[in-house]
Amino acid sequence: FAYSEELTPALKSVEPRTSRPGVTVVTLAGSGFSPHPQLNEVFFGPSPCLVTASNRSYLECMVPLLEGTAGTFKPAVRVFNKGFARTAPGVEHTILMAIDSVSPQ
């Protein structure tokens, strides 16, 4: 195995900077991604974000609606056969808390 800087995917930005779980589609910009959505994985902390669209320079994913997902995270991107992307300094994403119900009413 030989590491290659030019073949390593890179994550440069995330838009929007905040999102609501299960509602917001997030765009991650960078380089070295797969044009096939199923060959890219995105994580906010331990939670996966479903990749719905991709090309070599951007990914789109739906923020997961999972218990315990709220918080500020440095996104992790893994590309099949290339490994984890380098993430630029300061790239973070905040997932806001969601309240499903209040009891008693």
Side-chain angles (χ1 to χ4, degrees):
F1 173 78
Y3 174 77
S4 172
E5 180 82 19
E6 65 225 20
L7 296 178
T8 301
L11 176 59
K12 297 176 182 167
S13 67
V14 178
E15 292 294 331
R17 297 293 299 235
T18 62
S19 65
R20 292 180 47 217
V23 176
T24 307
V25 173
V26 173
T27 301
L28 300 99
S31 61
F33 305 139
S34 173
H36 306 287
Q38 70 275 14
L39 298 181
N40 301 288
E41 294 179 300
V42 175
F43 297 91
F44 293 109
S47 301
C49 189
L50 177 64
V51 178
T52 57
S54 67
N55 69 23
R56 297 198 188 284
S57 61
Y58 86 94
L59 303 171
E60 286 184 354
C61 71
M62 174 62 74
V63 175
L65 181 56
L66 299 172
E67 191 171 314
T69 301
T72 299
F73 303 98
K74 180 178 176 179
V77 174
R78 184 167 49 198
V79 180
F80 181 73
N81 276 344
K82 291 187 177 183
F84 281 95
R86 288 184 324 275
T87 302
V91 174
E92 292 182 332
H93 183 74
T94 300
I95 299 175
L96 304 173
M97 223 185 261
I99 298 173
D100 296 329
S101 64
V102 177
S103 182
Q105 294 184 2

